[in-house]
């Protein structure tokens, strides 16, 4: 008996796409009962009659008139079918649904053999048509985003190579899982793809495109038509096994030690029996008839040749469930064929699905696309990446302040490289360089630190003005900006926040968190509250802090301490050409501006208090900001002034603002708690020892005796005396800033450091500082770097330069050589006592220095070359 499903297909197309309120896949209250009605509709057992009536001309064939119904009529008729449940899965808008109706009806009327655009063509000769097919059951995660990216890159490159044709990046929503698919999830996935900049050429938002619709729930008529054609060609069949019979079949096979699979009970059933059960309205599924001896072989672009013995691996599998809903693999195969997909890049977990999809495509006579199954992305514990490893959804990365281009850059590197050492790519460079054949087979490990580094590199390439909107978004996430804030005032605060943090930012969120730190004031209430051994407590013990802090309080209360000019609060952040200053060592403003007034005041205080260098600047910084380190003080005070104005746009509570008035009050209380022994400078105490106990200076005899004792003491050798390297004046020693520090992957005693020495790109240098210092203490530090040392590999790491440090005789203590006060990144420094002028003072070339031994210099005094 030849089974005919055409009438069912036409009705299903009408019912599934008439309006935005009609479901594409109905979800009957009683699935099996509902199928009784559908069976009678889908399978006509009456032979068609072509006999002319008495009014019909001889030799002509009577054609049945196809009635056109409006939406109300179709809804009314659909509601009369048993088990019909309107609204199980919705289309998005009424306009889209109307378009779907016309497209589906036209598609159903086409012949199956004309549905596959690549049929009879060589896939490799066609413009790439790539697809990303998410299930709207949750957020877009890292693995899915990488899959989308790889497909997008191939499609975009193909569009450059093929100026004409159907090359495209297709977004297809696989929403056949009625229980879990939601419109909210679909919207979330589409929003994440849009944020990443992976814009699609065809998809749910382009329903009238050539190969639409692009939601599987809106393509039910096509699946029904294809399933019908397979039944009619003998490549599929109805199966009437009940769930109980299938469970018994599985239990029996498991008891016999046989891998459970369908045993083919209805594969070659008596046609009369099949006809009788259909007429009786018995529920059934549609199963694919796996050909005897079938073998599926693919040449995977990543995994090479992969093959399956189809007959031994799978039994006759289901295409349509008894509810009428098609199964995943059937939908995917039909969609790939009917949308002309040329290449499928997806995760390796889909590799086993290729067997069933390949069998279906072969049965339909449609060419298989090329496949590339990418390895999984793992967490740092080498387990499959999941929520327990931290942020994995794209939206979370957006909230955490990562740039879309940086995410694209890093995701591309999770399983691909261009064959060079380059790790930073623009979007255009990725399109040009990406090649599917360079996708690696081994799993990739998601490294959050590496992602932050990639993000920081992209941030450095951007101007302040380019990221203002993104920083404002981060400030908004933290609630630091008032709703309805004055636009001009808001722009000023966002600009200052961005410029202040630009140099040290790894993520956009760093700008907001840095602003919150700057606006806060973490000075403890009392001296005793300082952590024992902390840098701050040891500094206060030196005695300089008390006098300087009290001087600042005195000047503030008298109105003589310089404060930011309320008429020009951005002076510290802008140079003479009104361009943003991002270098922390550079301060804006003219001679009459706040930054210059502050600088003059510091010189005056230094002279009066007889302190200079770190003995002055560290106490001042702690007194004004509550921190021992940070950006330029004048910039911090300017940001605080912006947040403290009467009409400020800053939400003081959310930002944790502590005004200068409140700081001075807290500073008073802290100073009152400092013990007397730490209120005088140790330097002054040392000077006092040069006087006799009665307050008079030592006599000449006492001085001579002291000098003799000093002469008798063993002399300390100058490290330069034993120095055997190139002339000191030949060394190119520059001021640098450590941007990032990480542990060498192969050497546990080495740090790898990224250091900005004023060149176009930061240098990477390996050092043996790990046993002596913490990574977090090094990051952001200003250091001296020997830059004309020849590049070499240290345990496999390309190191270009050397960080200068000093140690005691047994190397038990190692410290960084201090950078000159107010030194700028990239400046060359000189050593006192050596001539650095003229040709003799020019640094040697790298290859000349690299051949000689260079010792660490333990000089404590360095001078900037002006």
């Amino acid at each position: 008996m030849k089974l005919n499903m055409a009438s069912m297909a036409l009705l299903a197309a009408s019912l599934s796409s008439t309006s935005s309120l009609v479901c594409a896949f109905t979800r009957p209250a009683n699935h099996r009962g509902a199928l009784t009605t559908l069976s009678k509709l889908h399978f006509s057992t009456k032979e068609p009659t072509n006999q002319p009536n008495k009014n019909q001309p001889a030799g002509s064939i009577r054609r049945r008139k196809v009635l056109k119904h409006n939406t109300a009529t179709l809804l009314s008729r659909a509601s009369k079918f048993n088990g019909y449940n309107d609204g199980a899965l919705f289309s998005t808008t009424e306009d889209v649904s109307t378009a779907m109706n016309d497209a589906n009806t036209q598609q159903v009327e086409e012949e199956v053999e004309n549905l596959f655009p690549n049929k009879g063509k060589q896939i490799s000769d066609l413009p790439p048509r790539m697809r990303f097919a998410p299930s709207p059951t949750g957020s877009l995660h890292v693995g899915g985003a990488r899959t989308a990216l790889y497909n997008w890159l191939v499609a975009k490159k193909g569009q450059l190579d093929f100026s004409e044709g159907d090359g495209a990046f297709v977004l297809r929503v696989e929403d056949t899982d009625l229980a879990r698919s939601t419109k909210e999830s679909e919207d979330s996935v589409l929003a994440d793809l849009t944020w990443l900049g992976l814009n699609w050429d065809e998809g749910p938002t382009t329903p009238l495109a050539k190969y639409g619709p692009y939601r599987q729930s809106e393509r039910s008529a096509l699946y029904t038509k294809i399933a019908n054609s397979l039944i009619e060609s003998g490549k599929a069949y109805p199966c009437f096994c009940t769930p109980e019979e299938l469970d018994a079949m599985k239990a029996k096979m498991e008891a016999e030690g046989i891998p459970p699979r369908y045993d083919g009970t209805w594969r070659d059933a008596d046609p009369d029996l099949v006809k009788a059960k259909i007429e009786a309205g018995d529920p059934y599924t549609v199963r694919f008839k796996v050909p005897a001896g079938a073998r599926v072989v693919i040449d995977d672009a990543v995994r090479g040749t992969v093959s399956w013995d189809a007959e031994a691996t799978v039994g006759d599998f289901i295409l349509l469930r008894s509810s009428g809903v098609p199964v995943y693999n059937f939908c995917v195969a039909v969609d790939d064929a009917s949308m002309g997909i040329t290449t499928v890049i997806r995760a390796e977990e889909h590799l086993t699905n290729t067997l069933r999809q390949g069998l279906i495509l072969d049965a339909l006579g449609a060419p298989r696309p090329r496949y590339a199954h990418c390895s999984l992305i793992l967490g740092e514990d080498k387990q499959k990446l999941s929520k327990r490893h931290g942020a994995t959804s794209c939206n979370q990365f957006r909230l955490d302040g990562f740039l879309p281009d940086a995410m694209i850059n890093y995701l591309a590197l999770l399983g691909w490289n261009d064959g060079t050492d380059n790790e930073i790519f623009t979007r255009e460079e990725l399109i040009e360089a990406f090649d599917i054949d360079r996708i690696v087979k081994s799993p990739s490990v998601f490294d959050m630190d590496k992602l932050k580094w990639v993000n920081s590199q992209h941030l450095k390439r951007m101007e302040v003005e380019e990221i203002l909107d993104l920083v404002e978004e981060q400030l908004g996430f933290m609630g630091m900006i008032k709703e309805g804030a004055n636009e001009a005032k808001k722009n000023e605060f966002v600009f200052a926040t961005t410029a202040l943090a630009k140099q040290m930012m790894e993520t956009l969120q760093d700008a907001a968190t840095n602003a919150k730190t700057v606006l806060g004031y973490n000075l403890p209430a009392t001296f005793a509250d300082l952590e024992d051994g902390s840098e701050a407590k040891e500094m206060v013990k030196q005695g300089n802090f008390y006098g300087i802090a009290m001087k600042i309080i005195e000047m503030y209360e008298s109105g003589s301490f310089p404060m930011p000019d309320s008429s020009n609060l951005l002076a510290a952040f802008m140079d003479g050409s009104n361009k943003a200053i991002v270098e922390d060592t550079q301060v804006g403003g003219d001679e009459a501006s706040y930054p210059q007034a502050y600088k003059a005041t510091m010189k005056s205080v230094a002279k009066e208090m007889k302190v200079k260098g770190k003995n002055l600047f560290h106490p001042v910084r702690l007194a004004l900001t509550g921190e021992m380190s940070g950006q330029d003080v004048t910039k911090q005070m300017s940001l605080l002034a912006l947040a403290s104005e009467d009409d400020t746009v800053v939400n003081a509570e959310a930002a944790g603002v502590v005004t200068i008035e409140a700081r001075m009050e807290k500073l008073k209380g802290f100073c009152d708690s400092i013990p007397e022994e730490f209120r005088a400078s140790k330097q002054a105490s040392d000077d006092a020892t040069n006087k006799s106990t009665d307050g008079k200076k030592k006599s000449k005899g006492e001085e001579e005796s002291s000098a003799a004792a000093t002469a008798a003491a063993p002399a300390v050798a100058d490290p330069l005396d034993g120095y055997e390297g190139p002339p000191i004046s030949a060394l190119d020693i520059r001021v640098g800033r450590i941007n990032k520090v990480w542990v060498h992957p192969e050497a546990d005693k080495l740090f790898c450091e990224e250091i900005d020495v004023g060149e176009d790109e930061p240098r990477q240098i390996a050092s043996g500082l790990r046993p002596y210092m913490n990574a977090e203490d090094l990051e952001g530090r200003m250091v001296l770097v020997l830059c004309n040392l020849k590049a070499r590999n240290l345990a496999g790491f390309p190191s270009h330069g050397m960080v200068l440090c000093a140690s005691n005789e047994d190397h038990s203590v190692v410290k960084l050589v201090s950078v000159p006060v107010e030194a700028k990144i990239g400046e060359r420094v000189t050593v006192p006592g050596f001539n650095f002028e003229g040709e003799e003072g020019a640094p040697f070339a790298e290859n000349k220095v690299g051949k000689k031994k260079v010792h660490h210099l333990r000089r404590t005094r360095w001078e900037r070359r002006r």
Side-chain angles (χ1 to χ4, degrees):
M1 177 186 70
K2 187 174 182 181
L3 302 176
N4 185 353
M5 296 177 69
S7 60
M8 181 202 71
L10 285 170
L11 181 60
S14 299
L15 293 178
S16 66
S17 56
T18 4
S19 104
S20 62
L21 297 178
V22 179
C23 63
F25 296 142
T26 60
R27 195 185 319 179
N30 182 339
H31 288 237
R32 304 188 72 81
L35 191 61
T36 302
T37 302
L38 294 176
S39 299
K40 293 177 181 178
L41 287 170
H42 293 207
F43 296 89
S44 173
T45 58
K46 294 181 180 181
E47 293 296 326
T49 175
N50 291 328
Q51 298 298 323
N53 61 27
K54 61 181 181 180
N55 297 321
Q56 187 176 4
S60 67
I61 303 297
R62 183 175 62 185
R63 295 178 182 271
R64 185 179 63 180
K65 184 178 181 180
V66 179
L67 297 177
K68 295 184 179 180
H69 301 286
N70 59 30
T71 301
T73 301
L74 289 171
L75 283 172
S76 175
R77 293 190 176 190
S79 64
K80 296 177 181 179
F81 293 118
N82 293 334
Y84 174 79
N85 182 16
D86 181 25
L89 192 65
F90 300 102
S91 298
T92 53
T93 68
E94 193 160 343
D95 290 339
V96 171
S97 296
T98 302
M100 294 305 106
N101 182 39
D102 295 339
N104 279 357
T105 302
Q106 181 181 358
Q107 193 173 41
V108 170
E109 292 174 348
E110 294 175 350
E111 295 296 330
V112 170
E113 56 266 26
N114 296 326
L115 293 176
F116 309 132
N118 293 342
K119 190 170 185 177
K121 300 176 182 178
Q122 187 65 35
I123 291 291
S124 59
D125 295 335
L126 300 174
R129 281 185 60 81
M130 312 298 293
R131 54 86 161 172
F132 176 55
S135 297
T137 56
S139 302
L140 179 65
H141 289 261
V142 167
R146 183 188 66 173
T147 297
L149 171 63
Y150 283 3
N151 282 281
W152 184 83
L153 290 171
V154 174
K156 295 299 116 178
K157 189 172 185 177
Q159 289 173 339
L160 294 176
D161 295 338
F162 294 84
S163 58
E164 298 180 356
D166 283 342
F169 174 57
V170 179
L171 177 61
R172 188 173 73 218
V173 179
E174 297 184 341
D175 56 354
T176 54
D177 187 342
L178 300 179
R180 299 174 59 219
S181 296
T182 67
K183 185 63 171 60
E184 291 75 17
S185 291
E186 179 185 318
D187 291 343
S188 172
V189 171
L190 268 60
D192 288 338
L193 290 173
T194 301
W195 174 70
L196 289 170
L198 303 182
N199 299 319
W200 49 93
D201 302 297
E202 303 171 24
T205 56
T206 60
L208 297 180
K210 184 176 180 180
Y211 299 104
Y214 296 93
R215 291 187 185 88
Q216 288 183 341
S217 61
E218 295 167 351
R219 297 170 65 83
S220 56
L222 176 63
Y223 305 136
T224 301
K225 186 175 183 67
I226 299 297
N228 192 26
S229 72
L230 290 173
I231 291 175
E232 292 176 348
S233 62
K235 296 174 182 177
Y237 58 91
C239 170
F240 297 90
C241 288
T242 66
E244 293 75 19
E245 290 172 336
L246 293 173
D247 290 341
M249 187 186 304
K250 178 181 179 182
K252 181 181 178 182
M253 290 182 178
E254 289 177 341
E256 294 175 355
I258 302 173
R261 61 193 180 100
Y262 181 65
D263 65 3
T265 298
W266 288 92
R267 180 184 175 104
D268 298 308
D270 182 352
D272 291 335
L273 177 58
V274 173
K275 177 181 177 181
K277 293 188 74 66
I278 290 174
E279 291 178 342
D282 289 355
Y284 59 88
T285 60
V286 176
R287 287 187 179 271
F288 182 81
K289 185 181 288 187
V290 177
R295 188 174 187 82
V296 174
V297 181
I298 64 169
D299 182 17
D300 192 279
V302 177
R303 312 201 162 271
T305 302
V306 183
S307 62
W308 297 270
D309 182 338
E311 190 176 16
T313 304
V314 295
D316 291 351
F317 51 90
I318 294 175
L319 300 180
L320 292 179
R321 299 181 180 91
S322 60
S323 62
V325 177
V327 299
Y328 168 78
N329 282 309
F330 182 49
C331 293
V332 171
V334 171
D335 289 345
D336 285 345
S338 61
M339 292 181 179
I341 301 303
T342 60
T343 304
V344 173
I345 303 176
R346 57 189 180 185
E348 66 175 329
E349 58 196 21
H350 290 284
L351 183 62
T352 55
N353 292 328
T354 311
L355 167 58
R356 291 174 174 81
Q357 293 166 19
L359 289 169
I360 295 169
L361 290 169
D362 293 347
L364 294 173
R368 298 181 198 163
R370 185 187 186 194
Y371 292 100
H373 288 89
C374 304
S375 296
L376 297 176
I377 300 175
L378 308 179
E380 293 185 7
D381 59 357
K382 303 302 187 291
Q383 300 299 310
K384 183 179 178 181
L385 192 66
S386 65
K387 291 182 179 179
R388 71 175 182 274
H389 295 104
T392 59
S393 70
C394 289
N395 187 56
Q396 188 59 53
F397 289 110
R398 180 180 73 87
L399 296 175
D400 289 344
F402 289 92
L403 293 166
D405 280 4
M407 284 297 301
I408 289 297
N409 187 162
Y410 182 67
L411 288 173
L413 300 177
L414 288 176
W416 170 87
N417 65 78
D418 69 343
T420 71
D421 293 332
N422 186 26
E423 293 185 303
I424 305 300
F425 296 87
T426 64
R427 197 173 292 256
E428 292 71 23
E429 289 169 345
L430 279 175
I431 292 173
E432 178 66 28
F434 191 82
D435 187 338
I436 192 174
D437 292 322
R438 289 203 61 84
I439 298 176
V440 299
K441 187 176 180 180
S442 57
S444 301
V445 176
F446 190 89
D447 184 345
M448 183 62 75
D449 289 336
K450 181 66 172 291
L451 171 59
K452 289 182 178 179
W453 177 78
V454 171
N455 200 69
S456 71
Q457 299 309 301
H458 279 268
L459 281 170
K460 287 178 181 178
R461 297 183 177 193
M462 301 175 73
E463 298 295 333
V464 167
E465 292 75 13
E466 294 181 85
I467 59 175
L468 291 177
D469 289 344
L470 297 172
V471 171
E472 180 181 338
E473 184 180 48
Q474 290 296 318
L475 292 168
F477 291 156
M478 298 179 67
M480 293 174 64
I481 302 291
K482 295 177 181 177
E483 292 186 11
N486 178 275
E487 196 68 22
K489 291 283 187 181
K490 180 177 68 176
N491 291 341
E492 287 184 348
F493 181 75
V494 173
F495 177 85
T497 295
T498 307
L500 181 63
K502 179 68 165 59
Q503 190 179 37
M504 50 76 68
M505 288 167 60
E506 284 189 320
T507 69
L508 295 161
Q509 193 180 75
D510 289 340
T513 55
N514 179 70
K516 194 168 185 178
T517 298
V518 169
L519 298 179
Y521 189 63
N522 292 324
L523 183 73
T526 67
F527 172 81
D529 294 331
L530 286 172
E531 182 181 352
D532 290 339
S534 66
E535 185 180 6
K537 195 160 193 173
E538 294 305 310
M539 184 271 291
V540 173
K541 286 182 177 180
Q542 293 297 316
N544 292 312
F545 177 83
Y546 179 82
I548 293 172
M550 294 303 294
K551 182 65 178 178
I552 291 174
I553 294 170
E554 175 191 333
M555 295 179 69
Y556 175 78
E557 291 181 341
S558 67
S560 60
F561 192 80
M563 296 301 296
D565 181 358
S566 60
S567 65
N568 188 14
L569 292 175
L570 295 182
F573 304 102
M574 304 180 76
D575 61 18
S577 60
N578 286 331
K579 186 177 180 181
I581 295 173
V582 297
E583 295 290 341
D584 191 48
T585 55
Q586 184 181 358
V587 180
D590 55 27
E591 294 181 358
S593 66
Y594 160 64
Q596 299 305 317
Y598 175 87
K599 185 176 181 180
T601 299
M602 289 301 101
K603 288 183 178 179
S604 174
V605 171
K607 185 176 181 180
E608 179 181 343
M609 306 292 294
K610 294 182 173 54
V611 291
K612 59 182 179 179
K614 67 178 183 179
N615 291 326
L616 170 65
F617 296 118
H618 283 182
V620 170
R621 178 180 292 277
L622 182 62
L624 293 176
T625 71
E627 305 287 344
M628 284 294 292
S629 61
Q631 294 98 349
D632 176 78
V633 172
T634 62
K635 294 177 182 177
Q636 293 195 47
M637 292 295 100
S638 296
L639 188 72
L640 178 63
L642 284 166
S644 304
E645 292 181 295
D646 292 338
D647 57 348
T648 181
V649 300
V650 178
N651 183 334
E653 182 177 356
V657 176
V658 180
T659 63
I660 188 64
E661 294 84 358
R663 294 180 186 212
M664 292 298 101
E665 286 300 317
K666 190 172 184 180
L667 182 60
K668 284 182 186 179
F670 181 85
C671 289
D672 289 342
S673 71
I674 297 176
E676 287 291 337
E677 60 185 300
F678 303 133
R679 295 189 178 190
S681 169
K682 282 194 172 183
Q683 181 65 44
S685 299
D686 293 339
D687 291 341
T689 60
N690 291 325
K691 297 182 179 181
S692 58
T693 55
D694 60 2
K696 298 179 181 179
K697 274 194 167 184
K698 290 183 180 180
S699 65
K700 184 176 181 180
E702 289 174 324
E703 290 180 352
E704 291 176 352
S705 176
S706 176
T710 302
V716 179
D718 190 325
L720 293 175
D721 293 341
Y723 175 66
E724 299 176 353
I728 297 298
S729 58
L731 301 181
D732 184 11
I733 300 171
R734 292 187 229 157
V735 177
R737 180 190 180 96
I738 301 178
N739 294 334
K740 182 180 179 183
V741 180
W742 65 98
V743 177
H744 194 297
E746 304 295 336
D748 58 4
K749 292 186 178 181
L750 295 181
F751 272 142
C752 298
E753 297 134 9
E754 177 193 288
I755 305 179
D756 182 2
V757 292
E759 298 172 331
D760 291 339
E761 297 291 335
R763 292 197 180 202
Q764 290 193 337
I765 297 175
S767 72
L769 295 174
R770 191 181 179 200
Y772 308 100
M773 301 178 189
N774 296 321
E776 53 269 23
D777 294 334
L778 287 173
E779 288 189 353
R781 288 284 296 271
M782 302 287 282
V783 293
L784 296 181
V785 180
L786 179 59
C787 290
N788 57 340
L789 187 65
K790 188 176 181 180
R792 62 193 180 114
N793 282 337
L794 288 181
F797 180 81
S799 180
H800 192 190
M802 176 170 31
V803 177
L804 296 185
C805 56
S807 70
N808 58 2
E809 190 171 354
D810 62 1
H811 297 287
S812 60
V813 178
V814 174
K815 295 184 178 181
L816 296 172
V817 175
S818 298
V819 175
V821 176
E822 297 184 359
K824 296 181 180 179
I825 292 175
E827 281 189 310
R828 187 185 178 197
V829 298
T830 62
V831 182
F834 292 85
N835 180 21
F836 279 77
E837 302 299 327
E839 294 183 2
E840 293 183 359
F844 281 176
E846 289 183 357
N847 61 344
K848 192 171 182 180
V849 176
K851 295 178 181 179
K852 297 178 180 290
K853 184 177 181 181
V854 179
H855 293 290
H856 287 179
L857 303 180
R858 292 163 59 189
R859 286 274 191 179
T860 58
R861 183 175 174 227
W862 297 80
E863 295 178 349
R864 285 192 299 156
R865 187 176 187 182
R866 302 274 178 188

